[in-house]
Amino acid sequence: MSPTPTHPLARLTADEIEAAVKILKVANLVTEATRFAYLGLAEPTKAEVLAHTPGAPFNRIVKALLLDLTTGDTKSVIVSLTNGLVERVDPIDTRTQGQAPILDDDLFAVGDIVKADAGWVEAMARRGLTDLDKIIPCPLSAGEYGFEGEEGKRLLRVLSFVQHRPSDHPWAHPVDGVVAYVDLIARKVIRLVDHAVLPVPQEEHNHDDPAYTGPPRTTLKPLEITQPEGPSFTVDGDEITWDAWRLRIGFDAREGLVLYQISNAGRPIVYRASVAEMVVPYGDPSPTRFWQNYFDIGEYLIGLQVNSLELGCDCLGEIHYFDAVLPTTTGEPRVVKNAICLHEEDYGVLWKHTDIFTNSSEVRRQRRLVVSYFATIGNYDYGFYWYFYLDGTIQLEVKATGFIFTEPYRPGNPYANQITAEIAGPYHQHLYNVRLDMMVDGLTNAVEELDAVRVRTGPGNEFGNAFTRSTVRLRTESEAMRDAHAAAGRVWKVLNPNRLNAVGQPVGYVLIPQAGPLLLADEGSSIRRRGAFATHHLWVTRYHPDERFPGGELINGNPGTGGLPAYAAQDRSIDGEDIVVWHTFGATHFPRPEDWPVMPVARCGFTLKPTGFFGRNPTLDIPPSAGHCSPG
Ligand SMILES: [Cu+2]
């Protein structure tokens, strides 16, 4: 028996997953062919959660997406665990609303489907590949191009790799010039694109083979983190307390780690934070690859792909692990041990001053609380790291590592960089969208855009040294589709107009973006419609409990309906309202030889920094480190 949830945002337990599936079975909504393409907690509204008092009853509602593998029939259902009833069944029109996400079942199915296709087998033979056991078909989300015969179909597009033996990493042996378009419901190849026979790279690049890496270097002595009195955080169920910080964790099959009710010294800052979507568009227009755009959250359900972490390897020091309980596609609960890592890290100097007039010399050390998880999606591994600092700063860092997607090196190809004698890494982007349901000192918030501005030489600025900061209030959703501007040091301040600090300014937190390229695909491209959220760094919308996904409810096969453009098209006021800030950030990746064969972690993210939230440096009472750096 799982413990009974005591908070409306508590994660679904194994018992609750089983109970939801049972209710659906009793309602005759589940057959042998049914797969649970999604199952998760339908969160209560913000008002319900904020009104909740400990011990008071609350409803438990589950949302699921049911897919019939034989017909493609897709339904969205709402189940009340509290009443033991199915409350809603909404059929999905897959032509306009998109398809259920890609399932593990689909990944296994495509291998059988392409290997049973005579045309595909012949295409492989033309490339000298006749041992089908050594060919690894790689099932990839199909995108939506309006091609004849594809409307409303549940599709994957399949590239292939060769694996010399079970311990050989196939990413070093991409097969180019051939791609199979697979209909997963009809279980057949509906189109085979075979446009160029290119040699398959043969050289092996196995980062886990000592014969390839060479013997381990001997220059490094052990480095251990010890906290003899234990960590400074406490954990009560899903709630974490550390120094002035308090927050609650959630974990969703789709979004992965979700943070709720982040507060500092009892003052709310963010009601809910999650990386709500990401897209990885590729820039190679070749007939084999023009469609490569992966939405790893909406299409592949990144939460389901979470890793089980190992002490001393993934996180160092005094670690608290949370297990994740996730549904399988057949509706059983699956426990992932050590899925979420919680620990503290030293982070260098917090503040320091040596005063020449008083002879005082003071230094304090910074530390941060880290809440993180890793997920593996095919060739890539993504780490999502939330940091909380002693000075009130919140930060998200996404770490991308693993194998880059490869293609055979073609001289003169302007869309990829050569990384070995035989292999090239195609140019691509990793663009994430974080949804920040803000609550800076309360529900009434607003956003200002702040730029550094040069002032022209003239009266009052005779010597031309003046510069200032411009402030533009973003009043409506249409005014709040904004882009970063690195040269102006542009930041966005989320403030509470009703709460003033000691000097009379509205309290706030500033969102500091890492300015970088937005979605580079051209106007009119399919991916620009489907990944429109990635065409601006900032969106701000009025809070609505149903507006959760930057790319829309169902991304797979969706032609580009719903999501942020539709939310913002309502053009509601966002000035002095309950608002949600959506921030696109990421990396544009021009692969290097050093990214091969396994890529050192590449980082990107953003920072939320208190700006007028506190009346002065909130860390003056941090004691000096014990021992030789005590004051004296
Ligand atoms: Cu990359």
Side-chain angles (χ1 to χ4, degrees):
M1 282 289 287
S2 327
T4 308
T6 56
H7 189 276
L9 293 172
R11 294 184 283 151
L12 281 185
T13 66
D15 288 350
E16 288 182 311
I17 292 173
E18 282 175 349
V21 172
K22 198 170 161 195
I23 293 164
L24 287 163
K25 284 182 176 165
V26 168
N28 289 323
L29 286 162
V30 181
T31 69
E32 276 293 293
T34 303
R35 290 297 176 272
F36 292 82
Y38 171 82
L39 190 150
L41 177 71
E43 290 174 18
T45 63
K46 199 192 280 192
E48 289 172 272
V49 173
L50 295 177
H52 173 72
T53 52
F58 49 88
N59 290 330
R60 292 292 273 176
I61 311 287
V62 169
K63 182 176 162 182
L65 193 63
L66 308 181
L67 168 72
D68 186 311
L69 282 186
T70 54
T71 62
D73 183 51
T74 309
K75 295 184 186 75
S76 172
V77 297
I78 299 286
V79 176
S80 166
L81 297 176
T82 310
N83 303 333
L85 291 172
V86 177
E87 294 202 331
R88 272 188 78 151
V89 179
D90 292 311
I92 302 290
D93 177 353
T94 57
R95 280 169 195 268
T96 55
Q97 291 175 274
Q99 298 279 348
I102 296 160
L103 315 179
D104 291 348
D105 308 63
D106 301 334
L107 305 183
F108 295 118
V110 289
D112 297 340
I113 295 168
V114 295
K115 287 179 184 182
D117 183 82
W120 185 86
V121 172
E122 258 172 52
M124 290 296 142
R126 270 198 292 285
R127 289 156 177 84
L129 306 171
T130 50
D131 184 349
L132 296 188
D133 290 341
K134 289 187 173 162
I135 306 177
I136 309 290
C138 191
L140 300 162
S141 62
E144 207 286 328
Y145 293 88
F147 293 150
E148 204 186 325
E150 292 195 349
E151 304 85 359
K153 292 224 167 91
R154 188 166 169 77
L155 300 171
L156 287 172
R157 303 193 207 277
V158 182
L159 293 171
S160 300
F161 293 82
V162 175
Q163 189 174 33
H164 292 167
R165 56 180 184 287
S167 64
D168 179 39
H169 291 274
W171 311 110
H173 318 300
V175 179
D176 207 340
V178 59
V179 48
Y181 295 3
V182 169
D183 179 336
L184 287 163
I185 302 303
R187 291 183 65 88
K188 65 176 192 195
V189 175
I190 57 167
R191 190 170 158 207
L192 187 73
V193 175
D194 184 357
H195 76 99
V197 175
L198 291 160
V200 179
Q202 290 298 311
E203 200 185 341
E204 294 182 6
H205 296 270
N206 294 318
H207 63 293
D208 44 7
D209 177 4
Y212 178 82
T213 60
R217 68 179 71 171
T218 54
T219 51
L220 303 172
K221 304 271 191 283
L223 194 161
E224 285 171 7
I225 310 293
T226 56
Q227 291 184 277
E229 296 175 37
S232 315
F233 55 76
T234 56
V235 174
D236 177 12
D238 288 342
E239 196 173 61
I240 300 165
T241 307
W242 178 73
D243 189 60
W245 291 104
R246 199 161 201 189
L247 60 132
R248 163 176 285 283
I249 59 151
F251 200 86
D252 177 62
R254 177 169 180 168
E255 292 177 285
L257 183 62
V258 181
L259 303 181
Y260 300 105
Q261 296 188 287
I262 301 167
S263 67
N264 187 293
R267 297 169 64 189
I269 300 163
V270 186
Y271 171 75
R272 187 185 189 281
S274 66
V275 181
E277 194 50 84
M278 60 181 280
V279 61
V280 186
Y282 282 72
D284 185 339
S286 88
T288 317
R289 304 177 184 281
F290 67 88
W291 49 268
Q292 274 188 284
N293 305 296
Y294 314 127
F295 292 81
D296 290 333
I297 294 173
E299 287 182 334
Y300 290 88
L301 302 193
I302 203 164
L304 288 184
Q305 322 299 336
V306 60
N307 288 187
S308 189
L309 301 172
E310 270 183 59
L311 188 60
C313 306
D314 295 292
C315 309
L316 279 189
E318 290 287 323
I319 309 299
H320 179 92
Y321 285 113
F322 298 88
D323 297 342
V325 182
L326 294 162
T328 65
T329 56
T330 44
E332 295 87 29
R334 169 174 73 100
V335 177
V336 180
K337 297 296 285 177
N338 297 354
I340 303 161
C341 172
L342 173 70
H343 74 289
E344 268 176 296
E345 284 178 358
D346 179 87
Y347 197 66
V349 169
L350 166 62
W351 56 258
K352 179 176 172 68
H353 180 58
T354 300
D355 196 277
I356 53 169
F357 300 114
T358 68
N359 288 325
S360 91
S361 180
E362 297 281 343
V363 59
R364 299 292 185 275
R365 292 197 71 77
Q366 174 70 290
R367 42 170 113 173
R368 62 187 185 185
L369 182 76
V370 188
V371 193
S372 69
Y373 81 104
F374 252 100
T376 301
I377 312 254
N379 51 307
Y380 262 105
D381 303 79
Y382 292 103
F384 295 86
Y385 283 64
W386 287 95
Y387 300 121
F388 298 88
Y389 294 85
L390 293 175
D391 66 352
T393 300
I394 303 171
Q395 200 177 27
L396 173 67
E397 183 175 78
V398 180
K399 306 184 184 196
T401 180
F403 271 80
I404 58 162
F405 209 93
T406 52
E407 60 181 50
Y409 169 60
R410 287 176 280 146
N413 176 11
Y415 307 111
N417 190 32
Q418 185 177 12
I419 52 169
T420 76
E422 301 173 296
I423 301 169
Y427 300 156
H428 60 277
Q429 300 185 278
H430 304 255
L431 297 167
Y432 310 85
N433 188 273
V434 64
R435 179 181 182 277
L436 298 165
D437 184 343
M438 297 302 294
M439 197 177 163
V440 178
D441 253 348
L443 291 170
T444 306
N445 285 182
V447 179
E448 288 172 350
E449 180 170 281
L450 309 178
D451 281 0
V453 180
R454 175 180 294 137
V455 179
R456 287 181 179 235
T457 306
N461 181 30
E462 282 79 2
F463 303 100
N465 65 299
F467 65 91
T468 184
R469 195 174 215 185
S470 67
T471 301
V472 176
R473 186 81 153 233
L474 307 176
R475 298 194 181 275
T476 62
E477 290 171 332
S478 63
E479 283 181 15
M481 293 147 62
R482 304 294 301 161
D483 298 341
H485 184 359
R490 177 170 295 168
V491 298
W492 295 288
K493 183 175 181 181
V494 184
L495 55 94
N496 185 327
N498 300 333
R499 290 292 300 271
L500 305 182
N501 63 20
V503 285
Q505 305 155 335
V507 297
Y509 258 75
V510 154
L511 170 63
I512 305 172
Q514 294 171 352
L518 287 158
L519 186 67
L520 288 165
D522 201 8
E523 301 290 341
S525 61
S526 164
I527 190 58
R528 238 182 138 80
R529 277 195 306 281
R530 303 183 62 230
F533 66 84
T535 61
H536 293 292
H537 289 106
L538 184 84
W539 305 68
V540 184
T541 60
R542 180 94 71 89
Y543 168 78
H544 188 289
D546 295 341
E547 296 178 359
R548 287 272 304 279
F549 299 110
E553 193 75 24
L554 295 179
I555 293 257
N556 191 20
N558 188 315
T561 58
L564 272 174
Y567 306 160
Q570 298 166 78
D571 207 15
R572 294 162 289 193
S573 165
I574 50 161
D575 188 356
E577 304 284 352
D578 184 2
I579 58 171
V580 178
V581 170
W582 313 71
H583 172 46
T584 302
F585 62 94
T588 296
H589 191 178
F590 301 101
R592 311 167 300 158
E594 292 89 341
D595 291 338
W596 185 258
V598 68
M599 175 178 142
V601 162
R603 296 171 163 83
C604 63
F606 68 93
T607 302
L608 276 172
K609 196 169 188 171
T611 302
F613 187 78
F614 300 107
R616 62 177 193 179
N617 179 346
T619 64
L620 298 177
D621 57 350
I622 299 290
S625 306
H628 57 276
C629 49
S630 297

